[in-house]
Amino acid sequence: MKYAFAQRTRNFQSSAVRDILKVIDQGNIISFAGGLPDDDLFPLEAVEEAYKRVFESGKHSLQYGLTEGFILLREAIAERMAQRKNIRMDTQNILLTTGSQQAIDLFARIMLNPGDIILTENPTYLAALQVFQSYEAQVIPVESDAFGMLPEDLEKKMKTHLPKFVYVVPTFSNPSGKVWSLERREHLLRLAKKYNVIIFEDDPYGEIQFDEAANYTPIAALDNGETVLYTSTFSKTVVPALRTGWVMGPYQIIRMMAQAKQAADLHSSSIDQQALYYLLRDFDLNGHIAVLRAVYKERMHAMLNQLQRLDLPGLEYVVPQGGMFFWVSLHEKINTKSLLPKAIEKGVAYVPGSPFYVEEPKHNTFRLNYTHSVPEKIEFGMSQLVSVLEEAYEAITTDKALTEI
Amino acid sequence: MKYAFAQRTRNFQSSAVRDILKVIDQGNIISFAGGLPDDDLFPLEAVEEAYKRVFESGKHSLQYGLTEGFILLREAIAERMAQRKNIRMDTQNILLTTGSQQAIDLFARIMLNPGDIILTENPTYLAALQVFQSYEAQVIPVESDAFGMLPEDLEKKMKTHLPKFVYVVPTFSNPSGKVWSLERREHLLRLAKKYNVIIFEDDPYGEIQFDEAANYTPIAALDNGETVLYTSTFSKTVVPALRTGWVMGPYQIIRMMAQAKQAADLHSSSIDQQALYYLLRDFDLNGHIAVLRAVYKERMHAMLNQLQRLDLPGLEYVVPQGGMFFWVSLHEKINTKSLLPKAIEKGVAYVPGSPFYVEEPKHNTFRLNYTHSVPEKIEFGMSQLVSVLEEAYEAITTDKALTEI
């Protein structure tokens, strides 16, 4: 039998990351590929306690729940966001989702007609690109530097393209690890208001900051509640298997997303949402996050040490101030996708950079995760990777192009 | 700020059922409205034990999982479906979803272009209609009798409209409570093969059958694995809060749905999926289902007794052989939607029938759930409802139309 799939499936792409993860899962490989937190740091006992509380609360806790999500958890998130992020919104402005991935999807679903335009950073989160493409939208990249989108290019593209929204990961961006300056955040918001464009602020990594004293103000905290949708998740701070994220913003939009969610899956697991509520109530999550910050910072340095030893033409990277990734550029003759099988052969994996690009992928880039492995493994894995890279550079030195550098 | 929502949101409808449930949740009302199983029958201890097993299995159980779902649960479902339903498929032909609602949504997403045609029963599951409308499809109802779709009308509409798929709930249909005959199931499958049309078989209630000896063969069990997608859920047999459903069918379709799911939410809660695996392994679910069948059958009879006492012109209903609902028609002058506030005033609720219709809703219909309340409550609630109905009939006897019956 022949199956006539919908037009939109032509734009479907399987995630490069998840496909690599599948291969890696089968072998004994040190993986810098996924955006995985470290299992060993999971607060297993606190999670188990939290589920106990759910079951103690009686059988009604196992009944169908609200599409918007467990109300006590939404209240706790509202409070937490006010305290930690200075984002002040009511419970009714919050929708609980199956990870922040679903927040991106539901927002795209209620906003995008085929052909609609979205502005993004470039490179940007590839699974967001997957979503936008699946709704047949057109993604246009805005030029950026280390501090965020460039004001002139941003305004030009807002004016010319009248985008439906701007999608940004301004704090420890995936994949580039960048942090936007406050000035650029304010500028984006100002333009968004001027041109009546919504900002979708994706902030999964914001809590993983290495400088405890630093203050990275979310764009949503600068807004009056009209222009910014803000999404985050407990996947990086508690555990991923809970699949509990949230999105907060203008009520009119949240309500429409809730209607879309009603059709999409009625509601997310309410056992998990209730457990998370008890965990936030009874567990010192902020203390736990402080530990994560310290441990991940140490791992970032372990990886940085290895990168600093490399003396390769064209090598570039930014030292992350938080989040989970190094974003590395190599000499333009190096193709990181072709190189990956060799790396895997040597027992180490990364994600090639090209799928993160909107247009004209840079094939000489890759992303390294440092949160999933202990420093000793990072050192060994990096030494393996270094030998793969050095070999690749040797191969291209026969080429004139390199000797000209 | 003005928000320019996508075209498809014009077709969004908030579910009548869930909106009613919200009102009811706030008061002390006997509800025959929702499709809720009874909390008191939830196997709380077995569920709690199952989560314990997950946490005992170690921290890795809390890491990100596969989009397709926890493999041991998929294996257990494959085995269970072979034993209980005679549907034989491999693990790779199964995708785990956030309830079977998500299976409907993902299937619609990969199949439907705007304007595409779907054939359904009429009335049919309203949240499926919501999904199809949100993808801007055109739903065309097929004429049915007590045994399923009428062969002639079905073939005519397949030929004329070349539908993308046929959506059916052939066993204890929601809302009508019907059971398709084997002959009609075979006939639908034959036509589907002839006209190259997929069948989407939604079977959330199949396990709740009152005649233990009866055999309701799923259409998927008659197929060679090419034509039928089959979806079901553990919401009615274990607990709803787990939000764990599945869909099984041709690999090419399941794989495409998994790609759609990757963008939609990466994966559903894997803690819940793992818990369900341990529950299926360690708990006598079939024994539990036997109890549910007996208890719900008794409740159905409690409701039937009350209905049988009613002597109202135009009153019609089918005695359910399983599932959770009575579907009731009244005199055509009675509008059940206008009547609902009066019922709620008297402390009882139902769902008006009109949102379940594809075209020309019959406003004189409503759906009654009998699984959520104990027999005493059913009796009291029905006596209240009866007085509301009798009052409504009195009001229309002043009208000539009724006296002419």
Side-chain angles (χ1 to χ4, degrees):
Chain A
M1 193 164 161
K2 276 212 166 177
Y3 308 115
F5 293 116
Q7 182 80 24
R8 69 175 67 81
T9 61
R10 295 188 198 172
N11 302 312
F12 281 14
Q13 283 174 9
S14 191
S15 156
V17 177
R18 293 188 71 77
D19 290 345
I20 292 167
L21 286 180
K22 268 193 203 169
V23 175
I24 292 165
D25 245 18
Q26 291 155 15
N28 189 19
I29 284 170
I30 296 175
S31 175
F32 304 137
L36 304 187
D38 186 357
D39 309 13
D40 284 338
L41 299 169
F42 291 157
L44 177 63
E45 278 167 39
V47 171
E48 186 166 7
E49 271 305 306
Y51 279 86
K52 250 192 218 160
R53 294 289 94 75
V54 178
F55 301 127
E56 276 169 17
S57 76
K59 291 185 172 179
H60 187 63
S61 62
L62 306 179
Q63 189 53 275
Y64 281 105
L66 293 175
T67 299
E68 292 80 359
F70 185 54
I71 195 154
L72 294 178
L73 178 58
R74 282 187 284 147
E75 281 173 18
I77 289 171
E79 205 177 303
R80 192 174 166 78
M81 286 300 97
Q83 282 169 5
R84 302 272 290 188
K85 299 284 173 187
N86 203 26
I87 304 173
R88 288 166 204 286
M89 287 190 198
D90 291 340
T91 308
Q92 68 162 10
N93 294 71
I94 298 177
L95 173 70
L96 301 185
T97 53
T98 304
S100 54
Q101 185 69 31
Q102 190 183 39
I104 301 172
D105 182 68
L106 293 174
F107 182 66
R109 186 190 292 225
I110 65 156
M111 296 310 300
L112 295 175
N113 293 315
D116 274 356
I117 286 169
I118 302 162
L119 303 184
T120 67
E121 300 162 273
N122 195 27
T124 189
Y125 176 44
L126 65 85
L129 291 178
Q130 271 183 285
V131 172
F132 304 150
Q133 282 155 3
S134 82
Y135 288 97
E136 300 169 89
Q138 193 191 341
V139 180
I140 293 184
V142 177
E143 284 170 34
S144 303
D145 62 13
F147 307 105
M149 287 178 172
L150 294 177
E152 205 179 318
D153 194 53
L154 177 59
E155 181 149 19
K156 192 186 81 187
K157 282 173 177 159
M158 274 207 186
K159 240 179 175 161
T160 319
H161 298 296
L162 304 170
K164 263 295 171 76
F165 58 87
V166 183
Y167 170 82
V168 287
V169 190
T171 309
F172 321 133
S173 172
N174 180 2
S176 75
K178 272 184 210 168
V179 181
W180 285 41
S181 68
L182 181 60
E183 200 192 341
R184 292 285 176 82
R185 292 170 193 243
E186 287 169 340
H187 177 260
L188 170 60
L189 183 61
R190 216 158 42 235
L191 284 189
K193 287 189 180 295
K194 182 172 169 187
Y195 293 101
N196 200 45
V197 172
I198 301 168
I199 297 167
F200 192 90
E201 180 175 23
D202 188 4
D203 189 27
Y205 309 107
E207 294 271 23
I208 313 295
Q209 65 179 65
F210 298 147
D211 178 356
E212 284 277 347
N215 191 7
Y216 309 105
T217 311
I219 304 172
L222 305 168
D223 184 29
N224 61 350
E226 275 198 347
T227 308
V228 183
L229 271 277
Y230 176 91
T231 185
S232 189
T233 175
F234 291 101
S235 294
K236 323 296 178 187
T237 51
V238 184
V239 299
L242 277 169
R243 305 295 305 123
T244 303
W246 73 92
V247 55
M248 55 206 299
Y251 177 63
Q252 216 187 322
I253 295 178
I254 294 295
R255 194 183 50 183
M256 191 66 92
M257 288 175 73
Q259 279 201 27
K261 184 166 168 62
Q262 206 178 78
D265 63 12
L266 217 55
H267 64 85
S268 300
S269 165
S270 50
I271 297 183
D272 299 351
Q273 292 176 359
Q274 291 171 79
L276 204 40
Y277 161 71
Y278 291 112
L279 186 131
L280 290 180
R281 193 190 69 177
D282 301 336
F283 175 65
D284 178 15
L285 182 59
N286 294 344
H288 178 67
I289 288 172
V291 172
L292 294 181
R293 288 172 174 180
V295 174
Y296 289 156
K297 185 179 179 180
E298 190 197 348
R299 294 181 186 187
M300 182 276 285
H301 278 292
M303 189 170 269
L304 178 61
N305 285 341
Q306 301 297 312
L307 282 168
Q308 283 173 335
R309 283 183 196 163
L310 272 170
D311 178 27
L312 297 172
L315 178 74
E316 277 177 31
Y317 54 84
V318 174
V319 180
Q321 296 170 253
M324 303 175 102
F325 308 111
F326 272 98
W327 178 247
V328 184
S329 298
L330 301 169
H331 182 270
E332 59 178 18
K333 291 249 159 183
I334 305 278
N335 184 317
T336 58
K337 201 174 169 187
S338 333
L339 213 59
L340 183 59
K342 284 180 197 160
I344 289 176
E345 220 169 84
K346 289 237 175 183
V348 60
Y350 56 79
V351 187
S354 49
F356 294 89
Y357 283 94
V358 180
E359 294 170 349
E360 297 169 36
K362 294 190 180 167
H363 298 287
N364 56 333
T365 56
F366 61 96
R367 193 189 74 176
L368 294 175
N369 166 275
Y370 48 75
T371 59
H372 190 241
S373 309
V374 294
E376 300 68 43
K377 270 201 165 179
I378 290 177
E379 276 157 34
F380 181 70
M382 285 300 289
S383 72
Q384 294 297 95
L385 183 58
V386 163
S387 74
V388 174
L389 292 180
E390 285 174 341
E391 218 172 274
Y393 268 80
E394 267 168 44
I396 60 165
T397 46
T398 56
D399 190 313
K400 272 187 188 166
L402 189 65
T403 56
E404 282 163 9
I405 286 169
Chain B
M1 193 162 162
K2 276 212 168 179
Y3 308 115
F5 292 115
Q7 183 79 24
R8 69 175 68 80
T9 62
R10 294 188 198 171
N11 302 312
F12 281 14
Q13 284 175 7
S14 191
S15 155
V17 177
R18 293 188 72 77
D19 290 346
I20 293 167
L21 287 180
K22 268 193 201 171
V23 174
I24 292 165
D25 245 16
Q26 291 155 16
N28 188 19
I29 283 169
I30 296 176
S31 175
F32 303 137
L36 305 186
D38 186 357
D39 309 14
D40 283 338
L41 299 170
F42 291 159
L44 177 63
E45 278 167 40
V47 170
E48 185 165 7
E49 271 304 307
Y51 279 87
K52 250 192 219 160
R53 295 289 94 76
V54 178
F55 301 127
E56 277 169 16
S57 76
K59 290 185 171 180
H60 187 63
S61 61
L62 306 180
Q63 190 54 277
Y64 282 106
L66 293 175
T67 299
E68 292 79 0
F70 185 54
I71 194 153
L72 294 179
L73 178 57
R74 282 186 285 146
E75 280 172 18
I77 289 171
E79 205 177 304
R80 191 174 166 78
M81 285 300 98
Q83 281 167 6
R84 302 272 291 187
K85 299 284 173 188
N86 203 26
I87 304 174
R88 288 164 204 287
M89 288 192 197
D90 290 340
T91 307
Q92 68 162 9
N93 295 71
I94 299 178
L95 174 69
L96 301 184
T97 53
T98 305
S100 54
Q101 184 69 32
Q102 191 183 42
I104 300 172
D105 182 68
L106 293 174
F107 181 65
R109 187 189 291 226
I110 65 156
M111 296 309 301
L112 295 174
N113 294 315
D116 274 355
I117 286 169
I118 302 161
L119 303 184
T120 68
E121 300 161 273
N122 195 27
T124 189
Y125 175 46
L126 64 86
L129 291 178
Q130 271 183 283
V131 172
F132 303 150
Q133 282 155 5
S134 82
Y135 288 97
E136 301 168 88
Q138 193 191 343
V139 180
I140 292 183
V142 177
E143 285 171 33
S144 302
D145 62 13
F147 308 105
M149 288 177 170
L150 294 177
E152 204 179 319
D153 193 53
L154 177 60
E155 180 149 19
K156 192 186 81 187
K157 284 173 176 159
M158 274 208 185
K159 238 177 174 163
T160 318
H161 299 295
L162 304 170
K164 263 294 172 75
F165 58 87
V166 183
Y167 170 82
V168 287
V169 190
T171 309
F172 320 132
S173 172
N174 179 0
S176 75
K178 273 183 210 168
V179 181
W180 285 39
S181 68
L182 180 62
E183 199 192 340
R184 291 285 175 83
R185 292 170 194 243
E186 287 169 340
H187 177 261
L188 170 60
L189 183 61
R190 213 157 45 233
L191 284 189
K193 289 191 180 294
K194 181 171 169 188
Y195 293 102
N196 200 46
V197 172
I198 301 167
I199 297 168
F200 193 89
E201 179 176 25
D202 189 3
D203 189 27
Y205 309 107
E207 294 271 23
I208 313 295
Q209 64 180 65
F210 298 147
D211 179 356
E212 285 276 347
N215 190 7
Y216 309 105
T217 311
I219 303 173
L222 304 169
D223 184 30
N224 61 349
E226 276 198 347
T227 308
V228 183
L229 271 279
Y230 176 92
T231 185
S232 189
T233 176
F234 290 101
S235 293
K236 322 296 178 188
T237 50
V238 185
V239 299
L242 277 168
R243 305 296 305 123
T244 303
W246 73 93
V247 55
M248 57 207 297
Y251 178 64
Q252 217 187 321
I253 295 177
I254 294 295
R255 194 183 50 183
M256 191 65 93
M257 287 174 75
Q259 279 201 25
K261 184 167 169 63
Q262 205 177 79
D265 64 12
L266 217 55
H267 65 85
S268 301
S269 165
S270 50
I271 297 183
D272 299 352
Q273 291 175 1
Q274 291 171 79
L276 204 41
Y277 162 70
Y278 290 113
L279 187 132
L280 290 180
R281 193 192 67 177
D282 301 337
F283 175 63
D284 178 15
L285 182 58
N286 294 343
H288 178 67
I289 289 173
V291 172
L292 294 181
R293 288 173 174 180
V295 173
Y296 289 155
K297 184 180 179 180
E298 188 197 348
R299 294 180 185 188
M300 182 276 285
H301 277 292
M303 190 170 269
L304 178 62
N305 284 340
Q306 301 297 311
L307 282 169
Q308 282 172 335
R309 283 185 196 163
L310 272 171
D311 178 26
L312 297 172
L315 179 74
E316 277 178 30
Y317 54 84
V318 173
V319 180
Q321 295 170 254
M324 303 175 102
F325 307 111
F326 271 98
W327 178 247
V328 184
S329 299
L330 301 168
H331 182 269
E332 60 178 17
K333 291 250 160 180
I334 305 279
N335 183 317
T336 58
K337 200 173 170 189
S338 333
L339 213 59
L340 183 59
K342 284 180 198 160
I344 288 177
E345 220 170 83
K346 289 238 175 181
V348 60
Y350 56 79
V351 187
S354 49
F356 295 91
Y357 283 95
V358 180
E359 295 171 347
E360 298 169 33
K362 294 190 180 167
H363 297 288
N364 57 332
T365 57
F366 61 94
R367 193 189 73 177
L368 294 176
N369 166 274
Y370 49 76
T371 59
H372 189 242
S373 309
V374 294
E376 300 68 43
K377 270 202 166 181
I378 290 177
E379 276 156 35
F380 180 71
M382 285 300 288
S383 70
Q384 294 298 95
L385 183 58
V386 162
S387 73
V388 174
L389 292 180
E390 284 174 342
E391 219 173 273
Y393 268 80
E394 267 169 43
I396 59 164
T397 46
T398 56
D399 189 315
K400 273 188 189 165
L402 188 65
T403 56
E404 281 164 10
I405 285 166

